[in-house]
């Protein structure tokens, strides 16, 4: 018997190992195993089991499996199938994909700890009958608290993980997963139960009596409960335990970092007709137990969340589980709150703030079917849910669903793939669907890849969409007869609207897509611009830190006093970031409570705090970057302003107009979500651009029609498929050489095969628009085709020709070569 094992190293193949007869009954796909690899022992995931091995392998070269780290498989066979698909589709090393799916899989072995259970006397019987080695292990654990299982294995020679796991099976130990280094304290809960009845005439104190009654009533009671129900039960508990009246033991409890996320009391709505119709379409697919993908195109405030909640409830009722993907979970605690309110403890929340051990805790809860709903950011697409019945991708257009490092997968696209494998319904929700998804929803019936279009064109309760004005800021000085004044950041219209908003005690949001104080600092004498020495960008001035910072690497520098070129002391700060805008607004509206929401002010707890304060109306005005545009539901907001709406249009990226339209529509959608109608002001230097005009009219259809026509003419997605190759190295020469070698390999394939000559377009190799980041030169090669299978076939062939998949390929050792399938980031 042989197994294919994916090892956590950046190689494209799995490795074959032989299974010794003793373990053939125990080994299963999805298990974590220990195998010898290059004279070391490594942890890997069993991808498959075969009777025979690849005849190309010499039998003598096949090594034996060393041990099975955990008998419980980490993934189901469908889960493994999904990983294989992801690795194949993104041309990614299987080991790296496994690492995405199994949180720190390789470290699980190191994280696993045992603690001997303090079991009530009568239950510790099995201990006597343990095999000798396990008996030794128990002795090694006794009186030790929690012990790393590696340590036990080292203490008891010859003991294997497989044998050790017997202790788990017998219920003799508690299992903990802990970081190896940072010693996090184990979260355990102490339990109590009655050990013997009261003897005749036996007296109890008042507290003891209360405890005894509680235990009698509930059989087992936790210390937490006891502490909540009476004052200082400790002394009484100790006394009763000493008398043998009660026993106690400890059990692991799962950590729950979202425990304090407010659960919003569920509201019960009569679904609107549009909601009902969408739900019915989803239900049809569920009833016939088939995969179907949907585009839920609902304007901001149309009640998409309610559709998710109902569809998920129906899915759970049918005995299946649900997965919800969100762009940035930290930004939307409310969303989690709504789900908590509806589904209580049946939810696991996966977010980037979790430590490795916490992630693994959540992951095990999921794996053990203790939860029915998983909510998380993109990596949650790999959550090991069984019987998955529905996947919701909220704000499906959001770029954060694409991973930009390691395997560059797109969680929304992979949601459709996983949904298909699991026969689940997949709901892609957005007020501004990506043109890729929208295009798929408009394909003729029966076309492969077609998604079902579910429109929700109106806000609930007949609330109007906000009135949007475009404010032309070209050459506009606020006071024409005082030209020395700097151009005003906020137009007269917006100033007036904000004034009225605050007078009426309502709230406002101002969006500016640039953080810091000024994005550019230059010498007013010689024109020297302060640039990052590592990146191809100018440094941003941050006033609070009095520093110049690079937004692409960690480079920072105290704000200089003079120009390094000409020693002139007049240094100009050009342009406006959120920090400057915040100060400006505070001067304009002295009494107003203003907060800033961007990456400089808001991380972790602080972010939650600002969002909560704004929600509670302890803040009147929120100024910020993209963070303010995300799906917040703040009913008190009536006015929204956008400053510099053209900024996102100026990127050399064919999706610039789409991103701008999405941003503007999303931010505008924050206005007027409550009882009061909203107004929006878009300040811009490009007032005639179609993406702005479409956003002003809330006219997605107009935007999509215009944009799709252009994409078709210019052969861009969704009418073509793209795969980009990205080359990065410290040495520009090496970068160019690698790019040229790959391009030459591509050319060879094109010359070789008329099919490729006909159907494949190659762009580049060319310098990336951001020519240098983090002191690495960047070049790109882009391949396009109208046929996805042809493109994939072509790329696979020429990558092998270039030696890309072979481990020994050292021609471009120092160049990072990334294959980016369906690239989103064109810079
Ligand atoms: P979206 O996500 O589409 O922007 P939400 O799901 O946040 O919109 O819903 C907007 C508001 O409408 C929320 O306050 C929600 O509670 C409310 N709502 C949703 N569905 C209904 C309904 N059927 N009837 C009344 N109010 C609803
Ligand atoms: Zn930099």
């Amino acid at each position: 018997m042989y197994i294919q094992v994916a090892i956590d190293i950046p190689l494209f193949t799995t490795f074959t190992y032989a299974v010794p007869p003793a373990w053939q009954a125990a080994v299963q796909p999805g298990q974590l195993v220990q195998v010898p690899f290059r004279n070391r022992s490594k942890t890997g995931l069993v991808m498959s089991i075969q009777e025979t091995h690849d005849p190309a392998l010499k039998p003598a070269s096949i090594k034996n499996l060393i041990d099975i780290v955990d008998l419980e498989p980490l993934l189901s066979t469908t889960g493994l199938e999904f990983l294989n698909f992801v690795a194949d589709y993104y041309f990614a090393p299987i080991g790296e994909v496994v690492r995405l799916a199994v949180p720190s899989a390789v470290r699980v072995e190191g994280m696993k700890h045992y603690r001997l259970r303090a079991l009530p006397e009568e239950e510790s019987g099995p201990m006597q009958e343990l095999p000798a080695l396990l008996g030794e292990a128990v002795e090694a654990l006794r009186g030790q608290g929690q012990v790393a299982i590696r340590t036990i294995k080292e203490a008891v020679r010859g003991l294997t993980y497989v044998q050790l796991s017997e202790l788990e099976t017998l219920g003799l130990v508690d299992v903990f997963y802990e970081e190896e280094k940072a010693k996090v304290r184990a979260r355990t809960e102490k339990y109590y139960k009655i050990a013997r009845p009261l003897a005749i005439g036996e007296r109890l104190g008042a507290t003891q009596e209360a405890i005894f009654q509680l235990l009698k009533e509930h059989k087992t009671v936790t210390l937490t409960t006891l502490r909540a129900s009476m004052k200082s039960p400790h002394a009484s508990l100790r006394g009763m335990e000493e008398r043998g009246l009660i026993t106690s033991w400890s059990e692991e409890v799962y950590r729950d970092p979202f425990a304090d996320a407010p659960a919003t009391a569920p509201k019960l709505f009569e679904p609107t007709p549009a909601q009902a119709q969408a739900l019915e379409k989803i239900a049809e697919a569920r009833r016939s137990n088939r995969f179907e993908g949907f585009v839920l195109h609902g304007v901001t405030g149309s009640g998409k969340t309610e559709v998710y909640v109902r569809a998920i409830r129906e899915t759970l009722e049918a005995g299946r589980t649900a997965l919800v993907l969100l762009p940035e979970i930290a930004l939307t605690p409310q969303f989690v709150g709504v789900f908590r309110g509806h589904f209580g403890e049946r939810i696991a929340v996966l977010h980037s703030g979790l430590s490795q051990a916490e992630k693994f805790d959540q992951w095990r809860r999921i794996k053990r079917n203790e939860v029915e709903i998983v909510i998380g950011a993109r990596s949650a697409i790999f959550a090991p849910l069984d019987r998955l019945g529905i996947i919701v991708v909220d704000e499906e257009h959001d770029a954060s669903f694409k991973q930009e490092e390691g395997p560059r997968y797109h969680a929304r696209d992979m949601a459709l793939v996983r949904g298909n494998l699991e026969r689940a319904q997949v709901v892609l929700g957005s007020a501004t669907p990506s043109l890729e998804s929208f295009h798929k929803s408009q394909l003729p019936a029966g076309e492969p890849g077609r998604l079902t279009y579910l429109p929700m064109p109106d806000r609930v309760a007949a609330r109007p969409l906000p009135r949007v004005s475009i404010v032309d800021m070209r050459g506009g000085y606020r006071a024409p007869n005082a030209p020395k004044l700097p151009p005003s950041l906020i137009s007269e219209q917006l100033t007036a609207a904000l004034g009225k908003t605050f007078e009426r005690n309502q709230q406002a949001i101002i969006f500016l897509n640039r953080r810091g104080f000024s994005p550019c600092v230059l010498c007013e004498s010689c024109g020297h611009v302060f640039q990052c020495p590592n990146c191809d960008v100018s440094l941003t001035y941050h006033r609070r830190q009095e520093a110049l910072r690079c937004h692409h690497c960690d480079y920072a520098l105290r704000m200089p006093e003079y120009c390094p070129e000409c020693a002139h002391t007049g240094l100009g700060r050009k342009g406006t970031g959120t920090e400057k805008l915040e100060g400006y607004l505070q001067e304009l509206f002295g009494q107003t409570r203003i907060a800033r929401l961007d990456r400089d002010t808001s991380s972790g707890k602080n972010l939650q705090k600002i969002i909560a304060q704004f929600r509670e109306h302890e803040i009147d005005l929120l100024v910020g970057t993209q963070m303010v545009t995300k799906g917040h539901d703040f009913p008190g907001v009536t006015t929204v302003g956008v400053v510099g709406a053209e900024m996102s249009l100026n990127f050399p990226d064919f999706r610039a107009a789409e991103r701008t339209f999405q941003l503007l529509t999303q931010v505008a959608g924050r206005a007027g979500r409550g009882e009061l109608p909203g107004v929006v002001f878009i300040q811009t230097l490009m007032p005639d651009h179609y993406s702005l005009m479409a956003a002003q009219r809330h006219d997605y259809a107009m935007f999509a029609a215009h944009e799709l026509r252009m994409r078709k003419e210019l052969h861009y997605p969704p009418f073509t498929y793209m795969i980009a190759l990205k080359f990065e190295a410290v040495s520009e020469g090496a970068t160019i050489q690698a790019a040229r070698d790959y391009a030459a390999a591509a050319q060879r394939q094109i010359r070789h095969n008329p099919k490729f000559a006909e159907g494949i377009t190659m762009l580049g190799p060319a310098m990336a628009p951001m020519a240098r980041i983090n002191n690495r030169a960047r070049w790109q090669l882009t391949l396009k085709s109208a046929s996805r299978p042809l493109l994939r076939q072509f790329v696979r062939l020429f990558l092998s020709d270039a030696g890309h998949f072979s481990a020994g390929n050292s021609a471009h050792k120092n160049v990072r070569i990334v294959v980016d399938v369906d690239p989103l980031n064109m810079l």
Side-chain angles (χ1 to χ4, degrees):
M1 183 188 266
Y2 299 91
I3 48 176
Q4 295 296 324
V5 179
I7 300 173
D8 181 17
I9 40 171
L11 292 179
F12 290 90
T13 49
T14 52
F15 294 85
T16 306
Y17 292 92
V19 183
W23 288 345
Q24 294 191 354
V27 77
Q28 281 184 63
Q31 279 169 338
L32 211 55
V33 291
Q34 243 191 348
V35 289
F37 187 79
R38 293 187 184 146
N39 298 324
R40 288 177 47 200
S41 146
K42 280 221 163 226
T43 316
L45 195 71
V46 180
M47 300 299 291
S48 60
I49 303 179
Q50 289 98 26
E51 292 300 314
T52 55
H53 64 80
D54 181 347
L57 286 175
K58 285 196 223 88
S61 72
I62 301 177
K63 299 193 180 122
N64 272 342
L65 158 75
I66 300 176
D67 203 347
I68 302 172
V69 176
D70 213 327
L71 287 176
E72 188 180 331
L74 291 172
L75 290 173
S76 66
T77 44
T78 316
L80 295 172
E81 204 182 329
F82 180 56
L83 295 192
N84 273 322
F85 183 94
V86 172
D88 181 69
Y89 184 80
Y90 290 104
F91 296 98
I94 181 71
E96 288 189 357
V97 175
V98 166
R99 189 184 339 183
L100 289 174
V102 181
S104 49
V106 287
R107 292 169 54 211
V108 169
E109 182 191 349
M111 293 198 302
K112 193 167 181 177
H113 289 67
Y114 277 167
R115 176 194 306 195
L116 205 57
R117 262 194 189 175
L119 288 172
E121 267 313 304
E122 73 271 20
E123 285 171 36
S124 59
M127 288 221 201
Q128 272 82 61
E129 298 139 34
L130 287 179
L133 282 179
L134 280 189
E136 278 181 51
V138 168
E139 287 319 307
L141 280 164
R142 202 181 291 285
Q144 289 294 314
Q146 157 183 346
V147 183
I149 80 173
R150 261 194 200 145
T151 314
I152 312 171
K153 246 185 85 176
E154 279 156 20
V156 185
R157 290 267 151 182
L159 184 67
T160 63
Y161 286 126
V162 175
Q163 290 164 340
L164 255 179
S165 64
E166 183 77 357
L167 296 179
E168 278 174 69
T169 319
L170 291 171
L172 295 179
V173 290
D174 287 318
V175 182
F176 300 90
Y177 288 87
E178 291 290 354
E179 303 292 333
E180 267 184 297
K181 295 211 185 76
K183 258 272 169 245
V184 195
R185 275 191 56 201
R187 309 282 169 90
T188 54
E189 179 63 274
K190 203 158 186 188
Y191 287 80
Y192 290 91
K193 71 177 197 181
I194 295 174
R196 61 165 174 83
L198 272 183
I200 297 163
E202 192 169 356
R203 292 281 190 84
L204 291 178
T207 313
Q208 291 182 333
E209 182 62 45
I211 294 171
F212 201 76
Q213 285 312 320
L214 262 176
L215 295 184
K216 222 169 165 174
E217 210 171 303
H218 298 283
K219 298 277 186 293
T220 61
V221 177
T222 65
L223 182 59
T224 313
T225 314
L226 288 168
R227 269 209 296 247
S229 13
M230 60 199 66
K231 256 201 217 149
S232 43
H234 288 278
S236 313
L237 285 167
R238 206 174 319 117
M240 292 164 81
E241 210 171 348
E242 275 162 12
R243 279 154 60 184
L245 193 57
I246 60 174
T247 51
S248 73
W249 68 98
S250 296
E251 269 182 33
E252 174 186 14
V253 288
Y254 296 109
R255 304 168 182 85
D256 183 3
F258 255 76
D260 43 359
T264 315
K267 289 185 208 142
L268 292 176
F269 301 116
E270 192 56 36
T272 64
Q275 286 172 331
Q277 210 165 22
L279 284 163
E280 181 46 33
K281 285 264 175 58
I282 300 168
E284 268 170 37
R286 179 178 47 252
R287 285 192 293 261
S288 46
N289 193 27
R290 69 176 142 82
F291 159 69
E292 188 167 344
F294 300 89
V295 174
L296 181 64
H297 181 188
V299 298
T300 55
S302 59
K304 293 186 286 294
T305 314
E306 182 71 12
V307 174
Y308 305 151
V309 166
R310 282 177 183 262
I312 287 172
R313 168 159 299 137
E314 291 166 16
T315 304
L316 301 188
E317 280 163 6
R320 295 178 71 176
T321 58
L323 175 58
V324 182
L325 302 181
L326 298 174
E328 270 159 273
I329 204 153
L331 282 174
T332 41
Q334 280 168 250
F335 192 93
V336 175
V338 168
F339 275 75
R340 270 274 155 77
H342 281 280
F343 301 106
E345 293 311 305
R346 296 184 285 169
I347 301 175
V349 181
L350 301 175
H351 60 97
S352 58
L354 296 178
S355 72
Q356 293 291 345
E358 284 169 333
K359 256 184 215 157
F360 202 70
D361 267 353
Q362 291 289 15
W363 208 77
R364 279 192 311 147
R365 285 181 69 203
I366 301 166
K367 188 72 198 74
R368 296 185 169 169
N369 297 322
E370 291 172 27
V371 296
E372 296 172 286
I373 303 174
V374 172
I375 303 181
R378 63 169 178 261
S379 63
I381 186 63
F382 296 105
L385 282 160
D386 271 341
R387 297 168 287 113
L388 184 57
I390 187 167
I391 307 178
V392 168
V393 183
D394 189 36
E395 312 285 0
E396 67 87 32
H397 63 277
D398 198 284
S400 74
F401 286 120
K402 178 88 155 70
Q403 170 136 316
E404 294 292 357
E405 60 195 24
R408 303 204 166 196
Y409 69 94
H410 198 305
R412 176 243 293 149
D413 297 347
M414 290 306 103
L416 292 167
V417 170
R418 185 164 180 198
N420 199 355
L421 287 172
E422 314 249 13
R423 292 171 160 265
Q425 291 81 55
V426 180
V427 182
L428 312 180
S430 175
T432 51
S434 64
L435 288 175
E436 282 84 353
S437 297
F438 179 71
H439 178 65
K440 285 189 207 163
S441 75
Q442 305 299 309
L443 292 172
E447 193 93 350
R450 179 177 188 265
L451 303 173
T452 306
Y453 188 60
L454 306 174
M456 299 209 294
D458 301 306
R459 283 189 163 178
V460 296
R463 279 173 205 151
L465 282 162
R467 188 166 48 75
V468 181
S469 312
I470 294 182
V471 185
D472 185 350
M473 297 296 278
R474 284 175 299 187
Y477 283 81
R478 197 204 312 222
N481 48 4
K484 282 211 183 106
L485 280 179
S488 173
L489 295 175
I490 304 287
S491 62
E492 240 178 284
Q493 293 99 306
L494 181 51
T495 309
L498 288 171
K500 259 191 244 151
T501 306
F502 303 138
E503 248 165 55
R504 294 182 190 137
N505 201 23
Q506 295 164 5
Q507 290 172 289
I509 291 178
I510 305 271
F511 163 64
L512 166 62
N513 207 4
R514 196 187 254 160
R515 68 195 166 91
F517 192 86
S518 302
C520 180
V521 175
L522 54 74
C523 170
E524 283 172 340
S525 169
C526 75
H528 169 80
V529 175
F530 285 83
Q531 290 252 332
C532 175
N534 308 319
C535 308
D536 190 17
V537 291
S538 59
L539 294 168
T540 300
Y541 170 62
H542 287 250
R543 172 172 271 175
R544 199 154 60 180
Q545 301 149 332
E546 199 52 23
L548 293 177
R549 305 190 70 95
C550 172
H551 287 181
H552 292 272
C553 72
D554 290 335
Y555 185 82
L557 158 94
R558 264 197 71 76
M559 176 65 197
E561 282 163 17
Y562 53 86
C563 171
E565 297 288 327
C566 72
H568 182 70
T569 50
L571 300 179
R573 293 149 201 189
K574 302 290 174 216
T576 304
T578 44
E579 191 182 7
K580 180 161 157 192
L581 187 59
E582 181 194 11
Y584 181 90
L585 285 161
Q586 195 67 71
E587 261 175 49
L588 213 52
F589 301 104
Q591 299 304 307
T592 310
R593 296 164 298 178
I594 302 181
R596 173 154 58 98
L597 195 69
D598 60 30
R599 272 206 282 152
D600 297 321
T601 60
S602 318
S603 56
K605 282 256 169 328
N606 213 20
L607 168 65
Q608 309 290 348
K609 201 173 115 194
I610 294 175
I611 291 176
Q613 284 179 335
F614 192 56
R615 215 179 148 62
E616 298 300 319
H617 202 156
E618 288 159 22
I619 292 168
D620 305 303
L621 171 60
L622 198 58
V623 182
T625 55
Q626 288 206 41
M627 284 177 146
V628 302
T629 68
K630 307 279 168 165
H632 312 287
D633 190 15
F634 300 121
V637 173
T638 54
T639 303
V640 165
V642 179
V643 174
E646 68 287 341
M647 250 159 24
S648 50
L649 284 173
N650 292 327
F651 285 106
D653 179 341
F654 70 91
R655 287 191 181 88
E658 182 180 0
R659 295 237 167 88
T660 304
F661 175 75
Q662 286 164 347
L663 268 173
L664 294 177
T665 307
Q666 293 293 341
V667 70
R670 299 314 111 209
R673 295 174 70 90
E675 304 291 320
L676 301 160
V679 287
V680 179
F681 295 88
I682 299 178
Q683 298 189 171
T684 181
L685 299 173
M686 293 171 75
D688 304 325
H689 196 278
Y690 63 95
S691 64
L692 271 58
M693 288 164 51
Q696 177 186 25
R697 294 175 202 164
H698 308 288
D699 196 344
Y700 179 89
M702 164 192 152
F703 173 77
H706 187 104
E707 184 71 12
L708 285 172
R709 203 177 324 116
M710 296 204 345
R711 298 270 184 99
K712 192 165 191 174
E713 269 167 32
L714 300 171
H715 303 286
Y716 276 123
F719 300 98
T720 56
Y721 302 94
M722 290 171 97
I723 295 182
L725 267 66
K726 301 183 172 174
F727 304 87
E728 287 178 31
V730 176
S731 148
E732 173 152 42
T735 315
I736 296 174
Q737 195 52 52
R740 293 210 173 123
D741 287 356
Y742 273 66
Q747 280 300 351
R748 278 195 294 275
Q749 285 302 333
I750 288 176
R751 272 200 302 274
H752 221 71
N753 189 331
K755 220 172 41 179
F756 295 150
E758 172 90 357
I760 303 286
T761 313
M762 179 167 110
L763 307 170
M767 195 192 270
M770 292 264 314
R772 219 173 169 77
I773 293 182
N774 241 326
N775 216 9
R776 295 166 80 91
R778 306 170 77 242
W779 277 62
Q780 301 181 347
L781 181 65
T782 308
L783 293 318
K784 282 205 303 196
S785 174
S787 155
R788 174 135 50 201
L790 186 75
L791 180 64
R792 298 188 55 73
Q793 189 196 5
F794 170 72
V795 168
R796 188 168 295 287
L797 280 171
F798 97 78
L799 286 180
S800 351
D801 182 26
H804 187 74
F805 300 119
S806 39
N809 178 27
S810 55
H812 304 294
K813 227 177 30 258
N814 298 318
V815 184
R816 187 198 292 161
I817 302 169
V818 171
V819 183
D820 194 350
V821 177
D822 308 324
L824 268 193
N825 178 4
M826 310 306 289
L827 302 183

